[in-house]
């Protein structure tokens, strides 16, 4: 933090159901000298994608569809720009980034003037770069489509997709785990004393407050607009390590369908997770960046170990986020 002028960091380390380390470092608000605590709310960016995958896993548990059910069976009006792709694309394709929607398609989507339903019209006219299941392309649009298709499968309304996703996330993931402070709506946090500011570096390398990018109604919400504190992210990691059961004992999702999201496919990407190997051990992880925040979460099922690091300056924290996971794993393994 000192070397890179990182304003604030929150860290938690989990072993099974127990949070064995949790601490805030630095400041969530430089101007008012407010320290980061375990209650400080950060954007978690794309680490939100694994929660969208968990939602879909609960809907598979409910028998609404299977991972490989064509989505036209879930929502008959659904269309991609290729008729064959329309008939074959599945939830698994969307969550594992194999839908055929190119990563740069988002560049043409007018996110500031769009609603969630506009994504459906947009992808119906977006040329595909491959057929579903053939190629990997990391896409916020793909993950968001999975979230909204989940809303529709759960009897949600087409003209209420954003709010429907917020309710579904709360009902299926946040409330059962005990993540009572987490939200996708920035309006709920504007006067919250625990909501941390984000920072960029000025010409001399000092942090200055960044202009917010977040807004209610973001049509790409299922891909990464959640705001969470490190205490509640530790509960989420425990839920993963305990195969779908958080420390409060509530069964959130079946082991069968949760672990399906961990299975690597193209580019070693599962559904909302990157699957790596470190020291011969499986590491399931994901980074997230949004609104000038940067984060990383990860866990090792074989070792019952997980970590989360949240920061409030993407620009200043790149090296921290890149190097800290292996540093923490090495510390953990040394103690075994």
């Amino acid at each position: 933090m000192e070397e890179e002028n990182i304003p604030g960091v929150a860290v938690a380390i989990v072993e099974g159901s127990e949070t064995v380390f949790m601490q805030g470092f630095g400041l969530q608000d430089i101007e008012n000298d407010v320290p980061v605590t375990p209650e400080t709310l950060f954007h978690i960016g794309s680490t939100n994608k694994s929660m969208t995958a968990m939602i879909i896993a609960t809907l598979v548990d409910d028998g609404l569809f299977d991972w490989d059910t064509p989505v036209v069976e879930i929502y008959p009006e659904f269309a991609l720009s290729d008729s064959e792709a329309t008939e074959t694309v599945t939830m698994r394709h969307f969550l594992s980034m194999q839908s055929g929607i190119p990563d740069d398609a988002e560049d043409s989507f007018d996110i500031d003037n769009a609603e969630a339903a506009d994504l459906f019209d947009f992808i119906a006219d977006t040329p595909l770069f491959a057929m579903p299941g053939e190629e990997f392309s990391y896409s916020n649009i793909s993950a968001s489509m999975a979230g909204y298709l989940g809303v529709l499968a759960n009897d949600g309304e087409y003209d209420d997709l954003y709010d429907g996703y917020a309710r579904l996330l709360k009902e299926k993931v946040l409330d059962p785990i005990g993540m009572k402070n987490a939200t996708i709506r920035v309006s709920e946090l504007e006067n919250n004393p625990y909501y941390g500011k984000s920072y960029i570096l000025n010409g001399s390398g000092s942090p200055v407050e960044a202009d917010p990018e977040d807004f209610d109604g973001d049509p790409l919400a299922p891909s990464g607009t959640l705001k969470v504190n490190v205490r509640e992210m530790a509960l989420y990691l425990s839920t993963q390590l305990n195969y779908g059961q958080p420390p409060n004992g509530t069964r959130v999702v079946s082991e069968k369908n949760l672990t399906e999201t961990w299975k690597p496919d193209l580019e070693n990407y599962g559904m909302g997770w990157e699957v790596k190997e470190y020291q011969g051990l499986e590491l399931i992880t994901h980074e997230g960046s949004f609104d000038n925040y940067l984060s990383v979460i990860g866990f090792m099922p074989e070792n019952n170990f997980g970590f989360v690091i949240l920061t409030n300056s993407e620009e200043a924290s790149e090296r921290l986020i890149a190097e800290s996971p292996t540093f923490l794993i090495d510390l953990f393994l040394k103690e075994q």
Side-chain angles (χ1 to χ4, degrees), residues 109-334:
F109 183 62
D110 187 6
I111 189 170
D112 293 326
N113 297 297
E115 297 182 353
D118 294 324
L119 270 182
F120 286 78
D121 294 330
F122 179 76
I123 65 166
D125 294 327
T126 298
L128 303 180
F129 83 106
M131 293 297 290
E134 291 183 351
E135 299 285 348
F136 176 90
S137 187
Y138 188 85
S139 169
N140 288 320
I141 290 176
S142 286
S144 298
M145 289 304 304
Y148 294 137
L149 286 163
V151 172
L152 294 171
N154 199 52
D155 295 327
E157 298 294 331
Y158 184 75
D159 59 359
D160 190 40
L161 291 173
Y162 175 86
D163 289 335
Y165 175 79
R167 288 192 296 270
L168 195 60
L169 178 64
K170 183 175 174 61
E171 173 191 344
K172 293 292 190 177
V173 175
L174 303 181
D175 281 355
I177 292 175
M179 303 173 71
K180 62 181 181 179
N181 294 295
T183 180
I184 66 170
R185 294 187 181 89
V186 69
S187 63
E188 295 181 2
L189 301 176
E190 288 172 345
N191 297 312
N192 188 314
Y194 294 112
Y195 185 33
K197 297 179 179 180
S198 64
Y199 294 87
I200 57 175
L201 300 180
N202 63 17
S204 62
S206 299
V208 294
E209 188 174 344
D211 292 329
E213 301 170 13
D214 196 10
F215 61 96
D216 284 8
D218 187 334
L220 297 179
S223 70
T225 66
L226 197 66
K227 280 70 72 175
V228 194
N229 64 43
V230 78
R231 185 183 302 278
E232 294 180 0
M233 285 302 292
L235 298 177
Y236 176 67
L237 285 172
S238 288
T239 306
Q240 296 284 342
L241 287 170
N242 290 313
Y243 298 94
Q245 186 169 299
N248 63 24
T250 302
R251 170 61 61 181
V252 177
V253 60
S254 69
E255 177 178 340
K256 176 184 176 182
N257 283 313
L258 177 66
T259 56
E260 195 71 20
T261 69
W262 304 351
K263 293 180 179 178
D265 206 322
L266 299 181
E267 304 293 331
N268 288 324
Y269 198 87
M271 289 188 278
W273 291 108
E274 295 180 74
V275 185
K276 301 179 179 180
E277 185 178 288
Y278 182 71
Q279 303 263 25
L281 300 167
E282 184 179 53
L283 170 62
I284 301 172
T285 185
H286 213 291
E287 291 185 13
S289 64
F290 181 62
D291 204 15
N292 293 295
Y293 299 77
L294 189 62
S295 64
V296 64
I297 61 175
F299 63 100
M300 305 175 80
E302 299 169 56
N303 303 81
N304 215 21
F305 168 78
F307 58 86
V308 53
I309 307 167
L310 308 177
T311 78
N312 58 0
S313 177
E314 178 179 7
E315 187 177 3
S317 303
E318 290 182 357
R319 186 163 70 92
L320 175 75
I321 295 301
E323 297 179 7
S324 291
T326 54
F327 174 78
L328 292 176
I329 293 168
D330 287 342
L331 282 178
F332 172 77
L333 294 176
K334 186 178 179 181

Side-chain angles (χ1 to χ4, degrees), residues 28 30 41 47 69 94 193 228 233 267:
Q28 72 171 42
I30 294 175
L41 292 150
T47 56
T69 300
F94 280 118
V228 194
M233 285 302 292
E267 304 293 331

